[in-house]
Amino acid sequence: MMAAIETAQRPVVRKPIDWWRWAGRVFLTFLMLFTVLPMAWMILTSVKSQFAAMQYPPQWWPSEPTLNNYFKLLDPTNRIGREFLRYFWNSFYVSLLTTILGVVVAVPAAYAFSRFRFPGRTFLFFSVLVRNMFPAVVFLMPLFLLMRWMGLVNTHGSLILTYLTFGLPLSIWLLKGFYDNIPIQLEQAARIDGATRFQAFILIVMPLSSPGIIATSIFSFIGAWNEYVYAYTFLSRDDQMTLPVGIQRFFTEFATDWPGLMSATFLMSVPVVVLFLVLQKYFVRALTEGAVKH
């Protein structure tokens, strides 16, 4: 009884307010709204009619939402649907092939930089990263002249080679950091058991480095999927255009089909969002393990 009375009479000590934590929460909320609101407006516009999208003041919530814009884009029997699906397939083909070739080249290159010691290794590794010091537009004209000399203009091969040029430095750097954290003793134990270096790499290193490979694949795919400037410069044939260039067809000289444009933009973002959500845990694991030296 006395203990309960003493506890009740004890003054309550309130913790001071952590203003920095609250400021961080407010800032993160602002960033979230800054990111989500444009996406919400894009989705709401995509389910409006052309008349409702052009109203002023703007109609924030559509009174009669419709999915006709999506049906039109995904219907191969009409001209707009055929063009959109062709652009979609071209983007997917270029992005997938860029990702596969990038992984095939980056994995052995990063492993060599991580495990082997040879003259000029440090200089060569940092020279690979020099390209990222310059904006991509600097290489636009030289690469265009090179692709024209090689006869690759108006082909998907020009985009694939260009995207590999831009994506490989980051992929090699990320994978090298990941391989540095895989104990070399595991490979040595496999070599003692009779495995060759290649067998040790395939059976031991590759499974352990799968999160890093998945992360670099995501980077390569997203970079190739969203690229516009080089696709617009290298391709002029309608049947070769990728999706970022193709959706400009919704802009005409006298009007813009805003609901159709927003629908196409939303459908364009779906594969990337799904890919990231499915492989998110591997992506985060690769960034954390590849950035910390054990």
Side-chain angles (χ1 to χ4, degrees), residues 8-293:
Q9 294 178 349
R10 186 178 303 168
V12 178
V13 179
R14 295 185 176 181
K15 295 178 63 175
I17 299 176
D18 191 347
W19 294 107
W20 285 108
R21 176 176 295 182
W22 280 102
R25 291 174 178 173
V26 172
F27 180 69
L28 290 177
T29 303
F30 172 78
L31 287 181
M32 184 184 67
L33 293 176
F34 184 79
T35 305
V36 171
L37 286 180
M39 293 290 295
W41 179 247
M42 177 184 70
I43 296 174
L44 291 175
T45 305
S46 69
V47 295
K48 294 179 181 178
S49 64
Q50 179 69 10
F51 176 77
M54 300 299 296
Q55 281 187 347
Y56 186 83
Q59 185 183 31
W60 298 101
W61 189 265
S63 57
E64 297 180 358
T66 177
L67 296 177
N68 289 336
N69 298 307
Y70 292 99
F71 294 148
K72 186 187 302 183
L73 290 173
L74 298 176
D75 184 7
T77 60
N78 64 74
R79 180 183 60 83
I80 295 178
R82 286 194 301 270
E83 291 182 352
F84 177 80
L85 293 175
R86 182 170 62 246
Y87 300 149
F88 194 96
W89 165 251
N90 289 340
S91 288
F92 182 78
Y93 171 77
V94 171
S95 302
L96 183 63
L97 204 56
T98 300
T99 302
I100 294 174
L101 293 177
V103 170
V104 169
V105 176
V107 167
Y111 181 79
F113 279 121
S114 176
R115 290 293 190 259
F116 298 111
R117 299 296 181 265
F118 49 88
R121 169 179 169 273
T122 303
F123 172 78
L124 182 60
F125 177 70
F126 283 104
S127 65
V128 172
L129 300 176
V130 167
R131 197 225 62 82
N132 288 346
M133 297 174 57
F134 303 94
V137 71
V138 172
F139 303 95
L140 182 60
M141 287 308 299
L143 284 175
F144 177 78
L145 296 175
L146 178 62
M147 296 303 168
R148 188 175 64 176
W149 177 76
M150 298 173 63
L152 294 177
V153 175
N154 278 324
T155 66
H156 291 152
S158 61
L159 295 184
I160 294 171
L161 290 177
T162 301
Y163 298 161
L164 284 176
T165 303
F166 297 148
L168 277 177
L170 180 60
S171 299
I172 293 174
W173 176 79
L174 183 62
L175 281 174
K176 179 187 178 298
F178 203 89
Y179 288 138
D180 288 341
N181 289 326
I182 298 178
I184 196 173
Q185 290 80 6
L186 297 177
E187 297 177 64
Q188 293 173 347
R191 297 289 300 276
I192 292 174
D193 290 337
T196 63
R197 179 179 288 276
F198 181 75
Q199 290 174 333
F201 173 72
I202 295 296
L203 299 177
I204 304 298
V205 179
M206 285 288 288
L208 294 176
S209 62
S210 58
I213 296 175
I214 291 174
T216 56
S217 300
I218 294 174
F219 274 122
S220 299
F221 188 90
I222 293 177
W225 181 267
N226 293 327
E227 204 282 322
Y228 173 81
V229 175
Y230 282 88
Y232 182 78
T233 304
F234 292 166
L235 304 178
S236 59
R237 289 171 47 187
D238 185 72
D239 61 329
Q240 296 289 322
M241 286 185 181
T242 56
L243 198 52
V245 181
I247 60 176
Q248 70 176 351
R249 296 300 182 88
F250 290 96
F251 295 96
T252 61
E253 184 178 358
F254 302 103
T256 300
D257 183 7
W258 290 110
L261 178 63
M262 296 297 104
S263 302
T265 306
F266 176 75
L267 291 176
M268 179 180 171
S269 65
V270 168
V272 175
V273 174
V274 172
L275 179 67
F276 187 81
L277 290 178
V278 171
L279 303 176
Q280 182 181 11
K281 61 179 181 179
Y282 300 102
F283 181 78
V284 175
R285 179 183 168 189
L287 291 181
T288 54
E289 293 188 7
V292 180
K293 180 68 176 179

